[in-house]
Amino acid sequence: MRGFTYEMCPWKIDPVETSPENVKGRATLLLDQYRKKSTLYRTNTLLVPLGDDFRYVTINEAETQFRNYQLLFDYINSNPSLNAEVKFGTLDDYFRVLRDEADRINYSRPGERGSNAIGGFPSLAGDFFTYSDREKDYWSGYYVSRPFFKAVDRVFESTLRATEMMMALLLGYCQRAPCEKLPMGFSYKLAAARRNLALFQHHDGVTGTAKNHVVRDYGLRMHTSLLDLQTFMSKGIEALLGVRHTHDKFDQSPSQFEPEQVRSKYDALPVHKVVMAADRAARSVIFFNSLEQTREEVVMVVVDRPNVKVFGSNWTCIPSQVSPELQHDKGNYFTGRHRLHFKVSVPAMGLQTYYISSGSSRCPSAQPATLKYFSKSNTEFSCPASYVCTEVGKTVEIKNARQRLVFDAKNGFLKSISHRNGFENVVDEGISMYSSSGSGAYLFKPIGSAKPIVESSMVILVSEGPLMQEIYSYPETVWASSPVSHSTRIYNSGENTIQEFVIEREYHVEFIGPKFDDKELVVQFQTNIDNNRTFFSDLNGFQMSRREYYDKIPLQGNYYPMPSLAFIQGSNGRRFSVHSRQSLGTASHRDGLLEIMLERRLTKDDGRGLGQGVMDNRATNVVFHILVETNISATTVSMMNPLPLSPSLLSHCVGAHLNFPMHAFIGKKSQDISVPPPLKSFSPLAAPLPCDLHVVSFKVPRPLRYTLSPSDDPRFVLVLRRLHWDTLYCHRDRSGCTNLAEDQVNLFNMFKGIEVSNIRPTSLNLLHDDTDAVGYTEQVDVQEGDVVISPREIQAYKLDIRRPQ
């Protein structure tokens, strides 16, 4: 309206101020729109939201809007022939009027499943994805926009959770003045980290829909907090392992350890720190496991030489494997450094130390991987020193004790997965690209279908060893430098370890430069699973939603968010699951297909408030953990069942291992291997928790007030989540599972070496301790410490911890 700054109306007709002269025509037009909207509802009461994100920013504007509408309302309300009453109101007003109307009129319909809130109204299950505001504009682009920072968000979340847990363990077990000073001195940075993570959950933060300078600010905040958290953890390790003496000042002196992965700046990928293996000396590597079960898996660190050895904390020999470190650089695929793989066993919520040396003769050196290669040009490939290279044959495959993977020798893509029990899954993988005309940060508007971009492989490298096998491919595309390279890894981590069932798929994406303008990159897994174009994706990692393809809406309307997991399932119960380390978007527009978008670069603003395109792409690593399962029942599974399915117990474990990885730290100084080191491990739990119970957080909410809290006020918080899993996939042995949370869990007996007392159920935001209001009355026995948690439930408890006198 006159005198106000506002974006141009999309329909190119400027607003008209209401006056006594035009009020009849304006009111009739408005009421006609209200009547049309009312046909979508079964009641006579209609709610019309008025405004948007950027309205009522000044008193003058609000007053003008109010006067304008009041003229319209007065005219409608004063004319009985219009048979309508319009007034301003709140949501509370609306539902109160709605209930009054429902009390007078029975709106129930035959065969309808009603809700408990208001009689005569149906209940709705599911969500409102995918959102559309007009024409064929669907808001499915932001599921993937700026995937680099979506990945940083997940790392930040995991690191903050681990830091909070380590701080709580430090205060619970150490209970000496120097130990207490460290968390108290860090409390301001911890508060900043909590706030920075919360800030990025803004609907223009993690979504990737902010302006460039705002994205930079988000990134700098997260990067600063990540460095702070890693610094605290490196010092916390010293205290928990007893590396320093009691009189040392943990909070003031530099740490003896440094994180194994570091980021040089806010928009750079993490780089592995090189372990310098000196002769006759060893460097320590310490792993922190923040999960509630013992982890046995193959880990990787980068070393400066191939002839190294790995020792346990009591100088036992640990089998290991070494292979060249790879990089995304056409014609220069090796960094000159080496990846050292070895198997570790780290206690639940605990620490374990390992040592790397190059001089001792007591143990065999790491076994070099056997390298096989294909190179389109002999000048493109040079075998790295210390390794033996041979050309690949007609069949390119890798295998472990559980599965055998076959790849296309021309392009390096996964073709099939054969399992030890005999069944085979076709997985015709491919990388394709959409072109778009109207896509932006919010919208996905492709032109036609995605076109394959890989013509063949420039280089395929197969690494085979006793612990890890890998296929790396740098593809040939129409561009001089490929926008993507990819690796597939499987592990020999031991019988019934979670890692043995996983196929690790990693894509390095560099969608940088104008040659990729208005392009969107996807990976497609075309399987032989008859899923009828139906799949399941998670909602915030908490529960699954059923997604069905609808022909009546375009492809972009059939794309759905994939925060951490998507799977397809056939009528024979065969299931193909893809766990993701960051939020992405996915679809199934052909039978047996699971398509996942990896990256997008858009030059245009899509008119949803951002005012720019998305062209600040960064080099990004997208990591998937693929799991193929069969159910234990011969019952045919109907894909027409409208209810969502749940992941298997093994699938839950795979997702936890991917999104809550172990945190590794390297000793800054070498130590003499002729002197046996003290046993450096920390195992706080009396026993691993049940397999279907997840520690959402274990923390001290206010470390600065830790020593000031009254003796009867619990200072620790434990938040637990009970997983819901599909019993048709009850291969408990596959996840190393020994017990489930089917009965009560005793919190008093959870830890060893410390006493838990004063348990109080509390709300998830920790503000309400009334058990009736919280709803835990029948699920917790505060006197005995027993709690009962139903599947899909999250419960929070305040408690106190002290060392026995």
Side-chain angles (χ1 to χ4, degrees):
M1 289 178 62
R2 185 178 62 254
F4 296 102
T5 302
Y6 189 54
E7 307 95 75
M8 291 295 294
C9 290
W11 45 88
K12 303 294 189 295
I13 301 175
D14 291 330
V16 177
E17 189 168 355
T18 303
S19 66
E21 290 75 25
N22 66 7
V23 67
K24 178 179 179 180
R26 308 297 291 170
T28 304
L29 178 65
L30 184 66
L31 187 58
D32 180 61
Q33 292 296 307
Y34 290 170
R35 290 191 192 282
K36 289 173 179 175
K37 182 173 182 177
S38 72
T39 62
L40 303 174
Y41 298 82
R42 62 179 64 181
T43 68
N44 295 320
T45 305
L46 187 67
L47 174 68
V48 182
L50 186 61
D52 66 37
D53 293 26
F54 309 104
R55 296 282 48 82
Y56 313 126
V57 293
T58 66
I59 293 294
N60 190 25
E61 179 195 350
E63 291 287 348
T64 304
Q65 182 77 301
F66 175 80
R67 287 195 304 270
N68 194 61
Y69 268 84
Q70 195 61 57
L71 279 170
L72 299 167
F73 293 172
D74 290 345
Y75 179 84
I76 294 171
N77 296 338
S78 62
N79 284 271
S81 60
L82 296 178
N83 198 27
E85 179 189 2
V86 193
K87 61 182 178 182
F88 292 108
T90 64
L91 285 173
D92 185 63
D93 295 333
Y94 169 69
F95 284 107
R96 186 175 61 254
V97 173
L98 195 68
R99 285 186 169 88
D100 291 343
E101 185 177 337
D103 288 340
R104 300 191 312 269
I105 305 170
N106 183 8
Y107 285 110
S108 299
R109 295 180 181 177
E112 185 175 72
R113 182 183 177 186
S115 67
N116 294 325
I118 307 178
F121 291 85
S123 60
L124 175 68
D127 54 44
F128 295 96
F129 291 116
T130 288
Y131 174 65
S132 175
D133 55 356
R134 61 175 181 255
E135 298 172 346
K136 294 185 178 180
D137 291 358
Y138 286 85
W139 292 39
S140 49
Y142 76 84
Y143 304 157
V144 188
S145 295
R146 292 175 167 128
F148 176 89
F149 291 103
K150 285 176 165 65
V152 172
D153 173 63
R154 197 67 58 86
V155 173
F156 188 12
E157 178 188 358
S158 168
T159 307
L160 177 59
R161 173 182 172 274
T163 303
E164 300 252 37
M165 184 179 291
M166 187 176 287
M167 178 181 288
L169 293 169
L170 181 61
L171 289 171
Y173 276 87
C174 189
Q175 296 185 349
R176 300 191 305 267
C179 297
E180 292 177 356
K181 283 184 179 180
L182 177 60
M184 292 173 67
F186 184 70
S187 60
Y188 293 105
K189 291 183 177 180
L190 177 64
R194 290 168 173 171
R195 289 168 182 162
N196 288 334
L197 178 63
L199 184 69
F200 193 61
Q201 307 317 304
H202 185 275
H203 64 238
D204 286 321
V206 69
T207 53
T209 53
K211 290 183 180 294
N212 289 352
H213 69 278
V214 180
V215 172
R216 181 177 183 273
D217 184 63
Y218 280 133
L220 287 170
R221 289 172 180 270
M222 291 192 289
H223 180 65
T224 300
S225 288
L226 267 173
L227 296 179
D228 290 339
L229 296 173
Q230 289 179 322
T231 299
F232 175 85
M233 291 180 73
S234 63
K235 292 184 176 182
I237 287 172
E238 296 179 352
L240 290 173
L241 293 181
V243 174
R244 289 181 185 265
H245 297 293
T246 57
H247 62 270
D248 285 346
K249 297 180 178 179
F250 292 104
D251 56 328
Q252 298 177 14
S253 54
S255 171
Q256 298 181 25
F257 303 99
E258 56 187 349
E260 188 270 334
Q261 285 194 55
V262 293
R263 294 173 186 259
S264 59
K265 54 182 181 175
Y266 79 97
D267 60 351
L269 287 169
V271 176
H272 293 277
K273 214 155 188 73
V274 180
V275 178
M276 310 294 286
D279 292 338
R280 305 299 303 171
R283 294 286 291 275
S284 58
V285 182
I286 298 174
F287 296 93
F288 177 56
N289 168 24
S290 68
L291 291 182
E292 46 287 316
Q293 284 90 37
T294 301
R295 290 178 76 151
E296 295 189 0
E297 59 187 74
V298 174
V299 298
M300 187 274 288
V301 297
V302 173
V303 293
D304 62 336
R305 62 190 72 180
N307 55 328
V308 296
K309 305 170 178 63
V310 181
F311 302 91
S313 57
N314 55 355
W315 282 157
T316 54
C317 300
I318 305 295
S320 57
Q321 165 190 332
V322 68
S323 58
E325 185 184 37
L326 305 174
Q327 63 184 0
H328 178 88
D329 187 358
K330 183 180 179 181
N332 185 25
Y333 304 107
F334 304 106
T335 66
R337 309 189 304 181
H338 308 269
R339 295 175 298 172
L340 177 67
H341 286 86
F342 56 98
K343 184 181 176 182
V344 300
S345 178
V346 185
M349 295 172 60
L351 296 160
Q352 188 64 54
T353 306
Y354 291 84
Y355 298 91
I356 298 173
S357 174
S358 67
S360 171
S361 58
R362 290 181 55 248
C363 296
S365 295
Q367 181 173 328
T370 302
L371 304 183
K372 301 176 183 178
Y373 73 94
F374 162 81
S375 177
K376 197 165 187 179
S377 169
N378 289 331
T379 59
E380 290 281 337
F381 184 86
S382 176
C383 186
S386 304
Y387 297 93
V388 176
C389 301
T390 59
E391 292 193 41
V392 297
K394 294 182 178 180
T395 302
V396 180
E397 65 177 43
I398 54 177
K399 59 185 176 181
N400 64 9
R402 291 284 176 181
Q403 49 200 347
R404 171 175 169 266
L405 279 55
V406 177
F407 296 80
D408 191 320
K410 294 181 180 178
N411 52 37
F413 286 137
L414 182 61
K415 299 295 290 183
S416 67
I417 305 168
S418 300
H419 297 263
R420 189 169 69 177
N421 60 9
F423 76 85
E424 180 179 354
N425 265 84
V426 174
V427 183
D428 194 3
E429 183 190 14
I431 295 177
S432 300
M433 191 177 289
Y434 286 103
S435 297
S436 64
S437 59
S439 290
Y442 296 89
L443 303 183
F444 172 38
K445 296 184 72 173
I447 302 173
S449 57
K451 303 294 190 295
I453 65 168
V454 175
E455 299 173 353
S456 62
S457 278
M458 293 294 295
V459 164
I460 294 177
L461 180 68
V462 182
S463 300
E464 294 178 328
L467 297 175
M468 186 276 296
Q469 300 199 12
E470 175 186 48
I471 288 187
Y472 168 84
S473 174
Y474 187 96
E476 180 181 23
T477 63
V478 296
W479 303 280
S481 297
S482 172
V484 61
S485 59
H486 50 95
S487 300
T488 306
R489 305 178 195 96
I490 55 176
Y491 298 89
N492 286 300
S493 51
E495 187 72 17
N496 292 329
T497 55
I498 293 168
Q499 202 176 29
E500 279 227 324
F501 295 91
V502 170
I503 301 168
E504 186 172 281
R505 200 76 175 92
E506 181 173 1
Y507 304 87
H508 180 90
V509 181
E510 294 191 4
F511 228 48
I512 300 169
K515 55 184 174 291
F516 303 117
D517 285 354
D518 297 311
K519 306 291 185 185
E520 289 157 290
L521 189 71
V522 299
V523 60
Q524 297 174 325
F525 299 101
Q526 182 63 60
T527 72
N528 57 345
I529 294 175
D530 57 335
N531 70 316
N532 197 30
R533 299 190 300 175
T534 297
F535 71 100
F536 301 84
S537 64
D538 69 309
L539 289 169
N540 302 323
F542 188 64
Q543 67 185 82
M544 307 300 292
S545 273
R546 184 178 185 272
R547 310 300 191 186
E548 181 178 344
Y549 193 91
Y550 292 99
D551 290 311
K552 62 184 179 181
I553 58 177
L555 170 65
Q556 57 266 33
N558 285 288
Y559 247 80
Y560 293 94
M562 174 189 170
S564 64
L565 170 63
F567 65 79
I568 58 176
Q569 180 174 308
S571 59
N572 60 357
R574 197 166 295 178
R575 185 179 285 188
F576 180 87
S577 303
V578 179
H579 291 265
S580 175
R581 205 171 60 178
Q582 67 221 67
S583 300
L584 297 169
T586 183
S588 180
H589 50 84
R590 289 194 306 267
D591 194 36
L593 173 72
L594 190 63
E595 176 178 292
I596 303 171
M597 189 175 290
L598 303 178
E599 176 65 292
R600 54 203 313 263
R601 180 181 176 89
L602 299 319
T603 61
K604 304 179 184 66
D605 175 53
D606 52 15
R608 296 310 187 274
L610 179 57
Q612 64 164 74
V614 179
M615 295 189 291
D616 55 346
N617 303 73
R618 274 85 172 178
T620 302
N621 288 334
V622 180
V623 179
F624 296 146
H625 278 185
I626 297 172
L627 180 65
V628 181
E629 300 174 281
T630 55
N631 65 14
I632 59 174
S633 170
T635 306
T636 301
V637 179
S638 173
M639 295 310 296
M640 302 309 293
N641 187 340
L643 298 177
L645 302 178
S646 294
S648 66
L649 185 58
L650 174 60
S651 187
H652 276 301
C653 295
V654 169
H657 278 224
L658 177 61
N659 284 293
F660 301 105
M662 286 197 288
H663 298 265
F665 294 83
I666 303 170
K668 293 180 180 178
K669 295 181 179 179
S670 300
Q671 53 192 93
D672 189 350
I673 62 174
S674 63
V675 180
L679 190 64
K680 293 182 180 178
S681 64
F682 173 70
S683 181
L685 297 189
L689 294 185
C691 307
D692 56 346
L693 200 62
H694 172 60
V695 176
V696 177
S697 66
F698 176 50
K699 63 184 178 182
V700 176
R702 297 179 177 179
L704 194 60
R705 298 178 59 182
Y706 181 79
T707 57
L708 305 176
S709 300
S711 58
D712 62 340
D713 185 25
R715 296 172 292 181
F716 296 79
V717 167
L718 177 66
V719 183
L720 299 173
R721 172 195 170 198
R722 176 91 182 273
L723 305 174
H724 182 272
W725 49 281
D726 195 329
T727 55
L728 290 178
Y729 296 81
C730 185
H731 303 280
R732 282 178 55 174
D733 60 314
R734 290 186 173 183
S735 55
C737 186
T738 56
N739 67 317
L740 299 170
E742 296 168 322
D743 300 318
Q744 68 233 22
V745 176
N746 190 278
L747 300 186
F748 286 164
N749 301 327
M750 181 174 170
F751 298 97
K752 61 183 178 184
I754 54 177
E755 294 178 352
V756 176
S757 62
N758 200 9
I759 295 175
R760 295 185 192 173
T762 185
S763 59
L764 296 184
N765 61 6
L766 314 182
L767 296 179
H768 306 285
D769 294 350
D770 182 354
T771 54
D772 291 329
V774 170
Y776 299 173
T777 309
E778 299 178 357
Q779 296 173 296
V780 58
D781 184 342
V782 294
Q783 301 301 321
E784 300 296 329
D786 293 326
V787 299
V788 177
I789 306 178
S790 300
R792 290 200 185 100
E793 276 197 7
I794 300 178
Q795 293 182 7
Y797 297 93
K798 293 179 180 178
L799 44 90
D800 217 349
I801 293 176
R802 63 175 181 270
R803 294 184 67 88
Q805 298 301 319

